[in-house]
C-alpha cells in the first residue's frame, strides 16, 4: 500500500503555544489530503479537506483560525494548531487520496497540551 | 443525510473462527466503499470496492459490495489474535473531494 508519513508522532506543548504537524505522501502525489482528530474510543472526526494550491474546506464547527491548514505541494500538507489549549489534546491523523480515490492514513500525531 | 452503519458494534470470537462484518450505507452519489483496520494507531487500508459482486481478497480477508442492496461485508477466516482491532467502513460519496463518511466501527476481539 501507499505510504503516508506524519511528523511529529508525539508532541507536548504548553498552553498558548502553536504546534505544526506535517503530513507527507511518500510515494504518490496527493491533490487532496484530509485532517482528522480522534478522541479515545471514538470514531474519526473529519476536520478539513486540504486541496493543493487552494484554501482548505473546514467542517462545521471547526475553527479555521485555530487550525491552520496549508497544502503547499502535492506531497505535503501541514496543520498548525494555534494558541493550543488542553482541550485541543487529541490524536490528529491525516490521510492522502490517490487519483484512484484510495485513501491512506498517516500514523497519527498525539498532541498533549499542558 | 448520508450515513454508514456497521454491525455488529462488537464481536468476541475464538481463534480459528470465521467472522463476517457488515456495513450498510445511504450515501448520495456513491463512489466507493473502503475498509480499514485500526489497532492502536491510525487506520490501515484494507480494501476499496467500487463495483458490485466482485470479491476482493487479501490472505484470510475478503470483501464484497452489493450496490443494489447498499451494503458490503468483510469476511475474516481462520481468525488470529492479531486480527483483534476496530474495523472501519467508509463510503466516498457526493462531490469530487473524496471525503469519506465513516461508520461507527466494529470492535473485534479474537481470544486464544
Amino acid at each position: 500500500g501507499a505510504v503516508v508519513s506524519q511528523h511529529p508522532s508525539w508532541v507536548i506543548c504548553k498552553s498558548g503555544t502553536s504546534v505544526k504537524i506535517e503530513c507527507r505522501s511518500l510515494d504518490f502525489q496527493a491533490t487532496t489530503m484530509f485532517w482528522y482528530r480522534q478522541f479515545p474510543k471514538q470514531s474519526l472526526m473529519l476536520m478539513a479537506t486540504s486541496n493543493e494550491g487552494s484554501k482548505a474546506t473546514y467542517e462545521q464547527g471547526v475553527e479555521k483560525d485555530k487550525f491552520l491548514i496549508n497544502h503547499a505541494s502535492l506531497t505535503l500538507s501541514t496543520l498548525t494548531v494555534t494558541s493550543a489549549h488542553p482541550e485541543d489534546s487529541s490524536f490528529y491523523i491525516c490521510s492522502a487520496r490517490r487519483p484512484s480515490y484510495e485513501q491512506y492514513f498517516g500514523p497519527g500525531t498525539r498532541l498533549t497540551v499542558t | 443525510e448520508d450515513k454508514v452503519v456497521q454491525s455488529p458494534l462488537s464481536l468476541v470470537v475464538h481463534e480459528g473462527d470465521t467472522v463476517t462484518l457488515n456495513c450498510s450505507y445511504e450515501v448520495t452519489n456513491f463512489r466507493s466503499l473502503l475498509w480499514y483496520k485500526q489497532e492502536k494507531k491510525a487506520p490501515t487500508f484494507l480494501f476499496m470496492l467500487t463495483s458490485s459482486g466482485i470479491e476482493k481478497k487479501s490472505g484470510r480477508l475478503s470483501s464484497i459490495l452489493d450496490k443494489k442492496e447498499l451494503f458490503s461485508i468483510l469476511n475474516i477466516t481462520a481468525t488470529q489474535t492479531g486480527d483483534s482491532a476496530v474495523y472501519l467502513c467508509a463510503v466516498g460519496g457526493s462531490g469530487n473531494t473524496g471525503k469519506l463518511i465513516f461508520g461507527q466501527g466494529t470492535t473485534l476481539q479474537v481470544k486464544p
Side-chain angles (χ1 to χ4, degrees), chain A residues 9 32 34 36 38 42-44 46 49 51 59 91 93 97 100-108 110, chain B residues 31-32 34 36 38 40-45 48 50 56 88 95-100 102-105:
Chain A
S9 56
T32 305
F34 302 87
Y36 297 82
Q38 187 175 35
Q42 293 188 25
S43 192
L44 294 162
L46 179 66
T49 302
N51 291 297
E59 295 299 301
F91 192 46
I93 311 172
R97 193 199 79 184
S100 60
Y101 278 83
E102 290 174 354
Q103 276 193 42
Y104 295 86
F105 286 88
R110 187 159 303 284
Chain B
R31 180 184 293 276
S32 58
L34 296 89
Y36 293 90
Q38 185 172 25
K40 293 199 188 305
K41 288 207 164 184
T44 54
F45 175 86
M48 186 176 82
T50 56
K56 290 219 172 176
L88 297 169
N96 292 320
T97 63
K99 176 174 151 179
L100 295 178
F102 281 87
Q104 323 93 299

Side-chain angles (χ1 to χ4, degrees), chain B residues 56-89:
Chain B
K56 290 219 172 176
K57 200 169 167 64
S58 175
R60 296 177 293 102
L61 276 67
S62 63
S63 184
I64 198 161
L65 173 68
D66 185 330
K67 288 166 74 172
K68 184 179 174 188
E69 300 297 329
L70 308 183
F71 78 92
S72 172
I73 60 172
L74 174 69
N75 272 329
I76 308 174
T77 59
T79 52
Q80 302 170 358
T81 54
D83 295 327
S84 298
V86 176
Y87 290 84
L88 297 169
C89 171

